């Protein structure tokens, strides 16, 4: 008996555009009959067709019915079904759009959708966040659209506050962060007063700070940097480096460069978590204030933190183009003398055309190269090959092969075989091995150390296939 597999789109190479054109060509009557027949055989298709042809009134009825079904849901959705479940939940919002309610009613109906977050998330393994994203993204966007077009702004502000009151799973907070998109400044101020009053009467420190975070978010959206500063200090006391960075950033966003600089300069310039963003902001502020001399040491820090052509160009713009060669030579000497191997540094030397130095950097630091970091080393090896620095490329591929063999996970052996085959081809392109093992000696030693990894060698020789 011959079994024929179903023909797929890949068999016919039909693009989505071709598919749409052909379906249109079938005509409305033919498509309608086909959908009715499919709906009779498939409950999912039947439900989809009902939603597709629903009138606005029917769509709103279906929306309310779906909300009740979700509220009464008592099953559990495992992780592997969570994405499909999230898609099904998100499709309920499409019914609301189809129902085309007036903006104020639409916002209220989205509010009822938000109220179901707890019951749904508690009954779903949402480890991948797909269900939460329906609330954070889809529901938030739809609420904002309705609330923006609703003329009763005070009612929308109150509704927003009610929705945000119970955010047990952190999926409603984006609504507060985007409030300025659908509420005017006077209503944002009303919300600020509301959060401030709640903070003043909070029964514990956690709730007080939670309310003050609401004040901070709204103050930032209003461009009220002094209020943001006052609120952050009220919440946490003496400002930490993170607080200084946040306050400085808000002043920067408000184009108050003097206060932004004052706060950012309180962040230590050493390698704390905040120093990276501090320096990036100061690199913008100092030149705008005519303080290019202060920007130079900052540009050096940024460059040495991440050496690449972009950070180099920023530094050279301050030092002058005549210093480019000196900077590259000075940094190359430091890199070659350093005991560390940093992937970005090797790529930087290639980017600036210091090909011999890039090869020397790799060969000098070979013992520090960790083949487990394969995601960047593969690219580096290809770049070295393109620059005809074959010995350095061999060293990288050897590190990748040895990493796979030392880990001893058969499911990754095919990658190691690929790298070893690369080495077989590269060997003829290396004119001088110097103090390094040639390819034959290297492969013999590799086999002696890992000869019991039969699947690897079987795959390499073709005995077990690839």
């Amino acid at each position: 008996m011959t079994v024929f597999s179903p023909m797929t789109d890949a068999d016919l190479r039909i693009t989505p555009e071709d598919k749409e054109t052909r379906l249109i060509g079938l005509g409305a009557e033919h498509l309608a009959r086909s959908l009715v027949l499919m709906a009779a055989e498939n409950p999912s298709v039947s439900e989809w067709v009902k939603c597709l042809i629903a009138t606005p009134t029917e769509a709103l009825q279906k929306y309310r019915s779906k909300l009740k079904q979700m509220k009464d849901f008592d099953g559990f959705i495992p992780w592997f079904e969570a994405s499909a479940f999230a898609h099904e939940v998100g499709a309920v919002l499409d019914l609301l759009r189809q129902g085309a309610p007036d903006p104020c009613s639409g916002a209220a109906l989205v509010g009822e959708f938000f109220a179901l977050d707890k019951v749904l998330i508690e009954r779903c393994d949402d480890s991948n966040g797909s269900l939460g994203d329906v609330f954070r993204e889809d529901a938030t966007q739809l609420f904002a659209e309705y609330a923006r077009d609703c003329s009763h702004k005070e009612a929308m502000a109150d509704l927003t506050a009610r929705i945000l009151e119970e955010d047990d799973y952190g999926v409603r907070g984006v609504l507060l962060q985007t409030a300025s998109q659908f509420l005017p400044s006077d209503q944002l101020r009303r919300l600020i007063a509301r959060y401030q009053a709640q903070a003043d009467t909070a029964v514990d420190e956690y709730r007080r700070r939670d309310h003050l975070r609401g004040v901070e978010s709204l103050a930032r959206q209003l461009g009220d940097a002094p209020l943001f500063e006052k609120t952050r200090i009220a919440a946490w006391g003496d400002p930490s480096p993170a607080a200084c960075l946040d306050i400085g950033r808000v002043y920067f966003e408000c184009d108050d460069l003097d206060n932004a600089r004052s706060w950012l300069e309180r962040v230590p310039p050493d390698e704390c978590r905040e120093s990276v963003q501090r320096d990036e902001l100061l690199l913008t502020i100092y030149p705008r204030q005519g303080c290019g001399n202060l920007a130079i040491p900052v540009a050096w820090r940024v460059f040495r933190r991440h050496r690449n052509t972009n950070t180099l160009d920023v530094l050279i713009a301050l030092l002058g183009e005549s210093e480019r060669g000196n900077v590259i030579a000075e940094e190359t000497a430091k890199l070659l003398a350093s005991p560390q191997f940093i992937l970005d540094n090797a790529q930087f030397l290639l980017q600036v055309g210091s090909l011999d130095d890039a090869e020397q950097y790799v060969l000098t630091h070979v013992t520090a190269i960790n083949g487990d970091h394969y995601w960047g080393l593969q690219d580096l090896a290809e770049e070295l090959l393109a620059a005809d620095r074959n010995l350095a490329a061999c060293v990288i591929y050897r590190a990748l092969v040895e990493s796979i063999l030392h880990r001893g996970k058969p499911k990754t052996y095919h990658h190691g075989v690929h790298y070893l085959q690369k080495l077989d081809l590269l060997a003829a392109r290396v004119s001088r091995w110097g103090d390094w093992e040639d390819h034959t000696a290297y492969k013999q030693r590799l086999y002696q150390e890992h000869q019991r990894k039969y699947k690897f060698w079987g795959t390499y020789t073709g005995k077990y296939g690839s």
Side-chain angles (χ1 to χ4, degrees):
M1 177 180 179
T2 303
V3 177
F4 295 96
S5 60
M7 183 173 289
T8 65
D9 287 348
D11 297 323
L12 295 176
R13 302 291 189 268
I14 301 177
T15 66
E17 293 76 15
D18 291 337
K19 192 182 299 183
E20 181 178 350
T21 300
R22 293 188 187 187
L23 286 172
I24 292 172
L26 293 176
E29 292 184 4
H30 182 80
L31 286 175
R33 284 194 298 272
S34 298
L35 285 174
V36 169
L37 290 173
M38 290 176 62
E41 299 293 333
N42 189 311
S44 297
V45 175
S46 176
E47 182 64 20
W48 175 72
V49 169
K50 288 178 183 177
C51 294
L52 191 65
I53 64 176
T55 65
T57 300
E58 291 170 340
L60 286 179
Q61 291 174 345
K62 276 186 168 293
Y63 177 77
R64 292 187 174 93
S65 175
K66 289 289 186 182
L67 291 187
K68 186 178 186 306
Q69 290 177 25
M70 291 192 295
K71 184 177 180 179
D72 296 337
F73 177 64
D74 60 359
F76 184 80
I77 305 298
W79 172 82
F80 58 88
E81 295 178 0
S83 294
F85 181 66
H87 180 75
E88 183 179 343
V89 171
V92 174
L93 293 172
D94 293 333
L95 282 171
L96 180 55
R97 288 189 180 90
Q98 191 173 341
D102 67 83
C104 299
S105 298
L109 288 168
V110 180
E112 294 180 25
F113 182 90
F114 271 112
L116 299 176
D117 59 347
K118 183 176 180 179
V119 66
L120 293 178
I121 292 176
E122 284 186 350
R123 296 193 172 280
C124 176
D125 181 352
D126 193 36
S127 303
N128 62 5
S130 55
L131 179 58
D133 285 344
V134 173
F135 292 92
R136 282 185 288 264
E137 298 173 9
D138 301 348
T140 297
Q141 179 182 346
L142 187 56
F143 181 90
E145 291 173 5
Y146 285 134
R148 184 185 61 241
D149 295 336
C150 177
S151 58
H152 304 294
K153 296 302 182 184
E154 185 172 337
M156 290 299 97
D158 292 338
L159 176 58
T160 300
R162 289 197 300 274
I163 291 173
L164 291 167
E165 280 176 359
E166 297 182 13
D167 189 16
D168 295 337
Y169 288 88
V171 297
R172 306 184 187 186
V174 181
L175 201 60
L176 180 66
Q177 297 166 20
T178 58
S180 60
Q181 296 178 13
F182 54 86
L183 291 176
S185 58
D186 63 323
Q187 296 304 321
L188 296 178
R189 293 287 179 188
R190 281 187 66 244
L191 287 178
I192 285 175
R194 181 174 185 153
Y195 280 122
Q196 188 64 63
Q198 291 174 330
D200 293 341
T201 59
V203 296
D204 58 59
E205 191 64 12
Y206 175 83
R207 292 187 179 277
R208 186 180 80 89
R209 287 175 174 167
D210 188 48
H211 296 314
L212 290 178
R213 274 193 290 271
V215 176
E216 282 185 17
S217 176
L218 295 169
R220 185 173 186 177
Q221 293 176 64
L222 282 167
D224 192 339
L227 177 58
F228 183 93
E229 173 190 337
K230 175 185 174 182
T231 306
R232 176 59 63 92
I233 293 173
W236 297 97
D238 292 337
S240 64
C244 292
L245 175 66
D246 288 344
I247 295 170
R249 185 189 288 110
V250 174
Y251 273 111
F252 176 79
E253 292 169 355
C254 298
D255 208 31
D256 185 342
L257 300 187
D258 289 336
N259 274 311
R261 172 179 167 180
S262 174
W263 278 101
L264 292 169
E265 286 178 340
R266 300 188 198 188
V267 178
D270 55 1
E271 292 302 313
C272 64
R273 183 177 62 180
E274 293 79 17
S275 62
V276 175
Q277 297 174 62
R278 164 203 190 269
D279 285 346
E280 290 175 352
L281 289 170
L282 287 176
L283 266 181
T284 301
I285 292 171
Y286 285 149
R288 288 176 61 182
Q289 292 186 318
C291 302
N293 58 319
L294 295 177
I296 289 175
V298 178
W300 271 110
R301 280 198 302 273
V302 172
F303 170 63
R304 285 176 172 156
R305 195 179 286 132
H306 298 293
R307 290 179 179 86
N308 56 55
T309 52
N310 291 331
T311 56
L312 175 64
D313 288 343
V314 171
L315 177 61
I316 296 304
L318 295 167
L319 296 177
E321 188 60 37
S322 62
E323 289 298 307
R324 184 179 293 271
N326 293 332
V327 169
I328 292 174
E330 179 183 339
E331 292 306 299
T332 298
K334 286 185 177 181
L335 296 180
L336 292 174
S338 170
Q340 288 183 302
F341 174 81
I342 299 176
L343 186 66
D344 287 350
N345 291 339
Q347 291 174 324
F348 167 72
L349 292 172
L350 289 169
Q351 289 169 4
V352 297
S354 299
L355 306 184
D356 291 339
D357 293 320
E359 181 170 40
Q360 186 59 43
Y361 180 71
V362 171
L363 297 178
T364 299
H365 297 85
V366 63
T367 57
I369 297 175
N370 186 348
D372 292 351
H373 300 161
Y374 56 87
W375 52 89
L377 288 175
Q378 292 180 87
D379 292 339
L380 177 58
E382 292 298 323
E383 291 169 20
L384 288 165
L385 281 178
D388 200 28
R389 293 310 186 265
N390 302 308
L391 180 57
C394 282
V395 166
I396 300 292
Y397 281 124
R398 287 180 180 185
L400 292 168
V401 172
E402 290 162 19
S403 168
I404 288 172
L405 288 174
H406 282 301
R407 278 180 280 158
K409 295 181 178 178
K411 66 179 181 180
T412 65
Y413 281 171
H414 64 286
H415 293 299
V417 168
H418 171 70
Y419 298 138
L420 188 54
Q421 290 170 340
K422 278 265 193 182
L423 286 167
D424 290 338
L425 296 173
L426 269 177
R429 294 171 58 178
V430 178
S431 57
R432 291 184 57 192
W433 291 97
D435 295 332
W436 300 90
E437 289 178 304
D438 64 25
H439 183 57
T440 300
Y442 168 75
K443 197 155 63 169
Q444 287 175 347
R445 178 175 61 80
L446 192 70
Y447 179 74
Q448 289 171 358
E449 292 177 0
H450 299 282
Q451 59 183 301
R452 296 180 65 84
K453 296 185 170 71
Y454 303 117
K455 184 171 182 179
F456 175 87
W457 296 108
T459 303
Y460 174 68
T461 59
K463 181 178 179 180
Y464 298 140
S466 58

